[in-house]
Structures are given as C-alpha cells and as structure tokens.
Amino acid sequence: AQKITQTQPGMFVQEKEAVTLDCTYDTSDPSYGLFWYKQPSSGEMIFLIYQGSYDQQNATEGRYSLNFQKARKSANLVISASQLGDSAMYFCAMREGSGSRLTFGEGTQLTVNP
Amino acid sequence: DGGITQSPKYLFRKEGQNVTLSCEQNLNHDAMYWYRQDPGQGLRLIYYSQIVNDFQKGDIAEGYSVSREKKESFPLTVTSAQKNPTAFYLCASRDGGTLMNTEAFFGQGTRLTVV
C-alpha cells in the first residue's frame, strides 16, 4: 500500500509568493520521521527539512517550514518568498520506527514564474 | 571531502547483459539504499542495507541483486531478468542507529540506458 501520497503532480507559483506542497502519509507506528527533499533538474537530491512524530512544534529551516497535522496525517511543505531557483521536483519521505526503510512519495514539480 | 560516489554517471548496455552500478561512501554510515527513478516519477526502493553482510528487499527488487561486503560499498547489479532496466538509479546512505532525524545523503546518480 502506498504510504506516502503527494497529490499535486505540478504546481506553479509567482516569484516572491508562498507555496504549499501537500504530503499525506499512512502508518500505524507511533514513532516515525518525515523528510522533504528537493531535486533540481541536475538530479541530485537535497535534504530540506525534517519533522519527527513526537515533535511538539512544526519544523522550520530558513524559508522552509512544515505544516504538521498529526491527526490528519499530513506534513505539508511551505516555501515562503519563492525564488526562481526553487523550481524543482520536491519529494516527501517517511521512515517508520527504528528501522532503516525510507519510502518516498511520487513528488511535486514546482515551477516558479518571474 | 566526505560523500557518496556513484559511477559511472552514464551507462549504456545491450539488452540481456548484466550490469553493475557502483556506490561508495566515506561518511562511515551504516545504512545504504538503492532507488530507481523513472522520468517524472518518484523514487522507488530497490534494496537497502542496515549493516554489513545484511540487506533487505525493497518494493521493486525483482531483477536486481546487491551485496554489502564492506561498510563503504553497496553495488547494485541489474540482471537480464529486469524487464525495463532503463532508468535513473540513486544510491543513498544514512547514519545508522535509532535516531529518527538522521537524513539520507544521496549520490549524483547513474543513468542507465539499455539498447
């Protein structure tokens, strides 16, 4: 069963505006971690932000923040003040319990327009 | 500099031939992963390894094989049994242990084309 769902294949945003990329997940393990990665057209994977299931506050890293709604099992990425360089594929990923398995969603292609 | 090295960056093979993709890391990480990515698609887990001499199948292991004889190395063999091997392959590693917040670091990827 798909454990990570990203329902937005493509998103467009104007430069300097904020954008939210959706991610929902499914797990019965009370302990899990959620990760967001950025993949530019070059193909490299860049780690952006992490949210733990027991974290009391939403994670933030510079212009990136995570809107974590545990009851809804969602972990949406918010990018503030979009820049042209933010145009890339964005992936949500999850690791459950103390295991090593790391599962990714299908990704969202973000395009920032000038 | 510490990192993950995948080689080669581009690889061409004839249909029916086995091919091995290299992945080496000098980050002293315990866990290593192989993912496959098709154009415009997400990353699908092929195999992963938590420690030396141990590995587990991911979601799409059929037609692939791996070994983990050394901590630094996790080579992936794409066998002739893999029906559609043309794809972008990404290797990753992560510091092991029970801490949840350790992110995975990725190599630059190998683009395999089978003709």
Side-chain angles (χ1 to χ4, degrees):
Chain A
Q2 181 70 23
K3 294 204 169 185
I4 294 282
T5 304
Q6 294 181 253
T7 57
Q8 306 156 314
M11 288 284 285
F12 294 86
V13 65
Q14 286 299 122
E15 193 177 7
K16 300 180 184 177
E17 292 185 352
V19 63
T20 298
L21 307 182
D22 295 342
C23 173
T24 58
Y25 58 92
D26 183 29
T27 180
S28 57
D29 196 320
S31 176
Y32 53 89
L34 297 157
F35 303 81
W36 276 91
Y37 283 83
K38 172 184 178 181
Q39 187 183 43
S41 57
S42 58
E44 63 187 303
M45 294 287 286
I46 302 167
F47 167 72
L48 297 177
I49 197 166
Y50 165 82
Q51 180 81 45
S53 60
Y54 294 119
D55 293 344
Q56 294 297 311
Q57 294 186 334
N58 288 344
T60 60
E61 288 287 348
R63 294 187 299 111
Y64 304 108
S65 61
L66 211 150
N67 183 1
F68 182 48
Q69 298 188 46
K70 196 169 182 177
R72 293 186 176 183
K73 294 188 175 179
S74 74
N76 300 338
L77 177 70
V78 181
I79 305 175
S80 63
S82 296
Q83 302 172 355
L84 296 178
D86 293 335
S87 292
M89 195 77 161
Y90 288 81
F91 292 101
C92 180
M94 178 175 67
R95 191 161 72 87
E96 296 171 279
S98 60
S100 283
R101 185 183 178 104
L102 182 63
T103 305
F104 283 78
E106 291 292 313
T108 296
Q109 179 68 49
L110 176 66
T111 302
V112 181
N113 294 316
Chain B
D1 288 335
I4 302 174
T5 302
Q6 289 186 243
S7 61
K9 189 172 182 179
Y10 298 95
L11 188 56
F12 295 86
R13 277 294 181 270
K14 290 184 178 180
E15 193 172 343
Q17 289 182 338
N18 290 357
V19 61
T20 297
L21 281 58
S22 170
C23 179
E24 302 278 334
Q25 54 98 359
N26 60 5
L27 299 167
N28 200 33
H29 285 171
D30 291 308
M32 295 189 74
Y33 306 81
W34 273 107
Y35 292 91
R36 169 182 171 139
Q37 185 177 26
D38 292 287
Q41 302 296 313
L43 278 67
R44 292 186 289 169
L45 183 62
I46 305 173
Y47 271 99
Y48 64 105
S49 168
Q50 299 186 83
I51 56 172
V52 175
N53 293 322
D54 185 49
F55 49 83
Q56 286 79 43
K57 292 182 179 180
D59 299 315
I60 56 165
E62 186 176 351
Y64 299 97
S65 66
V66 293
S67 63
R68 187 84 188 276
E69 297 176 0
K70 298 186 299 182
K71 190 175 185 178
E72 315 83 69
S73 178
F74 192 41
L76 173 74
T77 296
V78 184
T79 74
S80 57
Q82 169 50 233
K83 296 179 181 177
N84 296 298
T86 295
F88 185 55
Y89 291 87
L90 282 161
C91 178
S93 72
R94 187 183 62 82
D95 195 3
T98 57
L99 288 176
M100 291 301 298
N101 64 346
T102 53
E103 75 270 26
F105 293 81
F106 283 80
Q108 295 296 307
T110 292
R111 196 166 298 277
L112 173 65
T113 302
V114 175
V115 296

